[in-house]
Amino acid sequence: MTAGSSKSYDLVVIGTGMGGGTLAAALGDTGLRILLLERGDFLPCEEENWRPDAVFLERRYRTREFWLDEDGRPFVPALHPWVGGNTKVYGAALVRMRREDFHPREHIDGVTPGWPIAYEDLEPHYCLAEHLYLVHGESGTDPTEPPRSRPYPYPPVPHEPYVAELAERLRAAGARPSPLPLGVDVRPHGRCIRCRTCDGFPCRVLAKADADVRGVRPALGFPTVELMTRAFARRLLTDASGRRIRAVEVETGGKVREIAAEEFVVAGGAVHTAALLLRSANDRHPRGLANGADVVGRHLMAHHHTLLMAIDRERPNPTTFQKTLAVFDFYHGTPDVPFPAGSLQLIGKRTAETVRLAFPELTAEEAHELAAHSVDWWLLTEDLPDPENRVTLTSDGAIQVRWRPANRRAHEALRRAAEELLSSCGYREFLVQPIGLDGIAHYCGTVRFGDDPATSALDPVCRAWEVENLWVVDGSVFPTSGAVNPALTIAALALRTAEELRRRFGIQRSIHETIERLVNGIERD
Ligand SMILES: Cc1cc2nc3c(=O)[nH]c(=O)nc-3n(C[C@H](O)[C@H](O)[C@H](O)COP(=O)(O)OP(=O)(O)OC[C@H]3O[C@@H](n4cnc5c(N)ncnc54)[C@H](O)[C@@H]3O)c2cc1C
């Protein structure tokens, strides 16, 4: 049964992850009546937050839903449906895309399209996002760093001695390592205790700058912002003309209700946003909303990832907080492949327990030996947009994902270059942890924005070409994925769209003032 709702809102935001949470922060003080809909709840602060077995074995914080792969086999995706979305467990590496990523690029396995905006159009929003998400970094060391109009808000997270020495060795080998920009509160009197259970874990002391802590909670401090948790947006309903959304159909507490608003922002993450638009098909939009160009669900991208443990049995690694260093030397090419190859970053230190979870065939002693003598890298290469890689719905409404990574040769070149570089720093053995479909954390691309309605779903400010009050602010809007972690770019794009919405509602105050007030408010609390 569907019940109508008596209340109407100026804005409904579906999803409270990096996109939705950031948008809420940017509009909180405007006086607009805003409803945030989130299918999950607040993630509990509890002992299990920092227990590797609970997080990685029991997958305590993962979704319980199943998707189907292209052959119809079910799998549980790496999604975390909580207030804050996937940022509740993210590693908080908050990296800008490179200037070149916004233009068409030739890759070893194909040519990517450009974005409808240039890096310079997003640069001010990157600055705002870095301010909101407490980014600690250093310019002048990363050779591919794009130009910035403001310095990083905070100095880089200091390396522990082993990592500092590794940086020296890398420099001696001819590389130009740089501090990894991070959104964690390591300021004097900040909450971060620099533990081993950051990357991939929820933060029990709320020191990680996630979309819940830095976006949703501060936005809820304003009286006109409401949050409905355990509320699943089933469909968007248009008016008779098909040009406007009139309501969202929401399932909550075992009931289904319709909620009306002036504007609707979808921020469910790249797969769920596409699924919602496809589920919302009607007579006026038979292929799904915003899908006249038949792009919704297509061009699913996810980056190529490799987790590489570099082992030096002579040198123990006692580091606790390891994720502080990056190498961008191969971003535009490697010594043997003159095409974009990607980036290397340190990740959270693997322990004997997490090594054993990844490689169950190892004995406890072997896992201990490897964890104690390794340094752990994340290799990341751009995936290319392929229209056949896509999200679809089965006849009974299940989500099916077809993803065959493109640009593999570039990723192989990156791995070769990484191993060569690390060999010259004393690492003789390498162990690679494979990552399957159920480990993908960087979905994007399924509702691309562009400057041509024939090839994109959204216009350059991320509003649907075909539905005038429908906006999207999550990873789905990316026309290409670059080879850096996506969250900062999602936040910057959300802030840019928030600015457009403020104009639409006639809000005079600048978004800079809003973010400044919000950040000051968080500091006081
Ligand atoms: C382990 C891990 C580590 C990561 N580390 C990093 C990192 O270091 N740096 C980085 O940049 N990125 C990282 N990422 C990726 C990053 O978290 C995501 O790219 C980012 O959160 C995506 O933002 P989003 O807004 O697109 O979606 P999400 O953050 O996933 O948010 C979507 C939200 O919408 C809700 N939702 C979906 N559908 C509906 C619906 N129909 N109704 C109501 N609610 C709905 C979901 O529950 C969720 O809360 C990591 C991810 C993981 C899993």
Side-chain angles (χ1 to χ4, degrees), residues 14-20 37-40 78-87 89-95 199-200 231-234 267-270 272-273 276 279 323 345 440-443 473-476 485-488 490:
I14 299 163
T16 61
M18 198 53 161
L37 293 174
E38 171 53 54
R39 66 187 304 199
L79 285 193
H80 302 81
W82 301 96
V83 175
N86 260 359
T87 68
V89 298
Y90 81 158
L94 293 173
V95 188
D199 198 6
F232 181 70
R234 296 209 312 189
H272 276 294
T273 287
L276 174 61
R279 271 200 308 273
K323 191 174 174 154
Q345 302 171 7
I440 288 173
H442 291 180
Y443 283 116
V473 297
D474 57 23
S476 63
N485 327 51
L488 189 75
I490 295 172

Side-chain angles (χ1 to χ4, degrees), residues 67 112 140 157 185 196 234 285 312 352 366 393 446 472 476 494:
W67 295 348
T112 45
V157 178
D185 194 359
R196 248 185 200 191
R234 296 209 312 189
H285 301 275
D312 178 352
E366 283 166 339
L393 299 175
T446 52
V472 180
S476 63

Side-chain angles (χ1 to χ4, degrees), residues 145-218:
E145 181 189 23
R148 352 173 17 102
S149 60
R150 283 200 224 169
Y152 278 103
Y154 300 98
V157 178
H159 300 312
E160 291 186 30
Y162 180 97
V163 177
E165 199 212 324
L166 171 61
E168 282 309 320
R169 285 176 186 237
L170 287 164
R171 273 191 279 273
R176 290 157 295 172
S178 51
L180 180 63
L182 282 178
V184 287
D185 194 359
V186 295
R187 298 171 300 174
H189 313 297
R191 290 171 174 227
C192 182
I193 58 166
R194 298 174 53 122
C195 64
R196 248 185 200 191
T197 44
C198 180
D199 198 6
F201 295 83
C203 182
R204 198 174 167 192
V205 293
L206 303 183
K208 186 148 69 177
D210 64 38
D212 163 28
V213 171
R214 303 291 299 183
V216 177
R217 291 186 200 208

